Amino acid sequence: MSNAAIIDAASAEALDPADFHSGATPIWCPGCGDYGVLSALEHALAINGRPPHEVVLVSGIGCSSRLPAYTSCYGFHGVHGRALPFAAGVKLARPDLEVIAVGGDGDGYSIGGNHFIHACRRNLDMLYLVMDNRVYGMTKGQPSPTTEADWDSDIAPGGLGLRPFDPLALAIAGGANFVARGFSGRPQELKDLIVEGLRWPGFAFIDVLSPCMAFRSEEFGWKESVHPVARTIEDDRAAAHAAVLAEDGYSLGVLFKDHRPSLPARYVAQSSLSEIEQQFAVCR
Amino acid sequence: MARSSLSVVFSGRGGAGAMSAGELLLRAAADLGYYGLMSRLFGAQVRGGEAAALVQISTEPVTCQPDRFDLFVALDWEKVDQFASEIPLDENTVIIADPQSGPTPQSIARSKAKTIPFSMSNADATPLERALQSKYTNVFAAGAVAALTGLPADALQSALSAVLGGKSATVTRANADTLAAGIAAADTLDLDLRLAPPHTAPRWLLTGNQAIAIGALRGGVRFVGCYPITPATDLVEWLSPELQNLGGRLVLAEDELASINMVLGASYGGAPAMTVTSGPGLSLMVESIGLGIAAEIPAVIVNVMRGGPSTGIPSKTEQSDINIAIYGGHGDAPRLVLAPTSVRDCMFTGEWAVYLAESLQTPVIVLSDQTLGQAFTVIDPKPDRPTPLARRTTVPDGPFKRYAIASDPVTPMPRPGTPRGQWVGEGLTHNEIGIPVGGAAAHVAQLDKRARKFAQFDPGPLWGDVWGEGETVILTFGSGIGPAQEAARRVAAAGQPVRIVSLRVLSPLPVAALAHALEGARRIVVMEQNHSAQLYHHLLAHKAIPPSAESFARPGPLPFRPAEIVAHLG
């Protein structure tokens, strides 16, 4: 968001979180962590100050990807795994809009994993919010890329036997400018993280621990595990990468901030189409 | 007697400059007012494979490859065996080769063509100069051939500057000297290649890929998301800097899944958007094309067809993506599929595709192929253009329902940023507001809504063309049209008129217009370049042709040539 837009927003009539609420009833199970994420997002958008019609929420497929329709913003609920390229298209065509991609860990880290890497590398000025419950919920309980190796399920009895990967380390390696972790059980802190991510230039990635009531009720114990991040590392990508790989996966807050440039927002027209067409002229 | 046309092959190992030689000859001739066409023949290797430029120069428009070549210029004999069978030569062909390259290989000599020895280096040069200039053999040879056709030296030098572009002064000077030497050496060849005077008029020289790009730009495309794939890459390589010049943007995506979704995203944002690919890329895009159809998002998908399935023959032509373009995807996903009818028409159809995508709010697939896409062709710039059509973006009064069921199946899609216009594009079966629902009523209602867009679509006279008269009809599309017309000219000259019916709209099939175009036909031959007669079966399924219609389907990678079509007609 540009400085001018911030001033505009400050002078505009104050927005209320309810302004961002569509009134549609979520399909989420009672107790799902995603309710907390939705609430934190609505509060953050009110603080951010841009009205709902200037915000676009893009998602893929999964429980959490239903979120755009629960807000009053513009939105798009696409196919599984492709939220990030769609959001990139919106942002590149319309740099004036506030673009936010949302989704789950299966959508973003498995089927959409390649796009995640390249979205970090492209570093467009947008926010990516992953509601990470470490399970495929909508297909009823299969292990995702962030699921623990020994988590027992019908499709992988006794556990998948694969180490979960660390999306934050991947985001830092990939080139994202803002890398953070939130927890749906701490909505106030999450709201602040989202506001900071929205306002930070470049690609802001927040992995939100968001427990699944239906298949991973033990995740409600996360509230005992989480703790504030030791420190936010700025600009030193190597140190941040090492720090993230060394931490326990439950530290909350901003782990890394950087100032890499993004793609240029827009090119200025230098010539007309009829001028361009003249290169083909022969026998004038 | 001066000839009205000349067909020439420049052949050599990759890197010998066969393509530059061909372009030099074609460009100089085009600047003087001749028509012409150059096809590029090469293998999959990046460097060091086989390469040949197949060039025709004529006083009349050229729309297909010739049946045979008058002249074969061997820049060297390396790798020639790999494609000798794809270059038709005969006992009247003249081969020009440098004796230093060795004897004419059997693969070429068996055509019984006569070989004329010709030293392709500057005879006056010192040994050092000769060593330095040996890499300009292509320019020497092109200069000699062009001089024999009667093209003046100054036109050749100016064409050389255009071919070389921004090369260094040293390289430019060396090439110019070599060209002059080649022109001078023409006198040593006892060959009459003189061309009749051309009919001069302002024309354009471009490829079908460039022409589609121009059409898309005219239609308003200012965002392109793509991934490199042969033979579509040269389209986006030309387009990328020009889009920047126009204030637009081309994004090199991480894969085709990203390309199509970036395009849908940019389009959702309000920008007319396009992706460009070939068969394997189209396969990857299929799921998201269905998304574009369901969520009703405009998008143009240009598919430059090549040999398939799987990796197939990347650098060579085929028309075998008809099925995937029309039917590819799960669920009921109707879409518009257009095919340019010539290199010149690539501009028109490319522009029209954008207008149809925007006005009908749906993905439109443009099926080109390597033959059209990479044919470097002299055209008469087409003055007529399709009528501009735009998407509906105005927020209606009252509560806004993006997917409202109304008499008009096309419903407004406000651009993000518009107050009161918020909507969520939805790939799940949805109600009129766009909220996912799983019931039968909404499912049927929305399927009906989208189907009505196509049922009501009337291309009018743009559905295709009827050319010539006769009770024998060749029904074809795309790169089949040019050679079919040339075949029809010959058969008609022999007293048997042939009608060519060519399709620009492949889906939804213009059944009524086709019925009219086929009136009085006693024999209908559906001609296409694939193994399984995809167009023929599409036409039969829609009862657009009678059961008695014949199929003339054969796969690529060789382009259709007129003599083959004449022989088929019998």
Side-chain angles (χ1 to χ4, degrees), chain B residues 260-321:
Chain B
I260 182 67
N261 279 281
M262 279 184 187
V263 163
L264 293 174
S267 179
Y268 175 85
M274 173 174 80
T275 186
V276 180
T277 190
S278 188
L282 184 64
S283 295
L284 286 177
M285 291 180 189
V286 158
E287 183 195 22
S288 294
I289 292 173
L291 168 65
I293 292 166
E296 302 193 51
I297 308 294
V300 174
I301 300 114
V302 175
N303 182 52
V304 187
M305 292 184 282
R306 68 189 213 184
S310 187
T311 313
I313 309 182
S315 62
K316 294 180 185 174
T317 201
E318 199 161 76
Q319 295 177 317
S320 49
D321 296 344

Side-chain angles (χ1 to χ4, degrees), chain B residues 36-69:
Chain B
L37 182 151
M38 174 177 135
S39 305
R40 296 184 280 180
L41 184 60
F42 47 81
Q45 301 92 328
V46 174
R47 290 279 187 271
E50 67 275 22
L54 314 180
V55 188
Q56 290 169 86
I57 311 292
S58 175
T59 56
E60 306 303 322
V62 183
T63 57
C64 63
Q65 287 202 31
D67 292 322
R68 56 172 293 282
F69 286 90

Side-chain angles (χ1 to χ4, degrees), chain B residues 74-75 77 96-102 116-121 137:
Chain B
L75 303 177
W77 286 123
I96 295 178
D98 194 322
Q100 288 186 10
S101 300
I116 298 181
F118 180 59
S119 175
M120 293 188 199
S121 54
T137 300

Side-chain angles (χ1 to χ4, degrees), chain A residues 19 22 24 27 51-61 65-66 68-97 111-112 114-119 121-122 124 138 263-274 276-284, chain B residues 27 30-34 199-207 210-211 214 217-219 222-223 238 242-255 257-259 261-271 287-288 291 295 297 347 378 385 395 403 414-428 434-436:
Chain A
D19 296 335
S22 75
I27 57 156
H53 66 268
E54 292 178 8
V55 180
V56 180
L57 284 162
V58 180
S59 66
I61 292 296
S65 286
R66 293 294 190 106
Y70 306 148
T71 77
S72 60
C73 303
Y74 278 90
F76 195 84
H77 184 200
V79 293
H80 197 24
R82 316 297 164 215
L84 284 172
F86 189 100
V90 177
K91 187 68 189 179
L92 287 163
R94 293 291 305 281
D96 56 307
L97 299 171
I111 191 168
N114 192 31
H115 307 310
F116 179 48
I117 297 169
H118 290 274
R121 175 173 170 242
R122 214 167 266 124
L124 294 176
M138 196 155 261
L263 283 178
R266 176 156 281 172
Y267 295 108
V268 180
Q270 307 286 334
S271 44
S272 71
L273 182 51
S274 55
I276 288 170
E277 291 177 355
Q278 281 313 302
Q279 70 187 269
F280 300 117
V282 290
C283 194
R284 295 158 199 262
Chain B
R27 190 170 280 284
D31 252 334
L32 288 162
Y34 290 99
H199 314 296
T200 59
R203 299 205 179 92
W204 281 13
L205 175 59
L206 78 178
T207 65
Q210 289 171 327
I214 283 287
L217 292 175
R218 286 178 172 182
R222 290 297 180 272
F223 183 91
W238 178 82
E242 303 302 1
L243 263 174
Q244 274 189 37
N245 287 337
L246 289 167
R249 184 194 290 276
L250 180 142
V251 180
L252 189 57
E254 55 269 30
D255 55 32
L257 306 165
S259 306
N261 279 281
M262 279 184 187
V263 163
L264 293 174
S267 179
Y268 175 85
E287 183 195 22
S288 294
L291 168 65
I297 308 294
M347 275 188 282
V378 180
R385 287 174 54 179
V395 184
Y403 299 108
R415 298 170 81 233
T418 310
R420 295 194 314 105
Q422 289 99 306
W423 57 285
V424 178
E426 183 55 75
L428 269 77
I435 300 294

Side-chain angles (χ1 to χ4, degrees), chain B residues 148-195:
Chain B
L148 288 171
T149 63
L151 303 183
D154 57 343
L156 291 168
Q157 290 291 1
S158 111
L160 178 66
S161 303
V163 171
L164 290 176
K167 289 268 173 25
S168 74
T170 316
V171 171
T172 304
R173 167 67 64 83
N175 271 284
D177 290 348
T178 308
L179 177 64
I183 294 168
D187 290 342
T188 64
L189 281 165
D190 181 22
L191 268 177
D192 183 3
L193 301 179
R194 277 175 306 139
L195 283 162

Side-chain angles (χ1 to χ4, degrees), chain B residues 441-466:
Chain B
H443 189 56
V444 174
Q446 293 295 325
L447 285 169
D448 282 344
K449 175 184 192 287
R450 299 192 294 263
R452 276 195 291 137
K453 294 199 287 192
F454 300 100
Q456 293 177 13
F457 165 65
D458 178 8
L462 301 182
W463 66 271
D465 297 299
V466 180

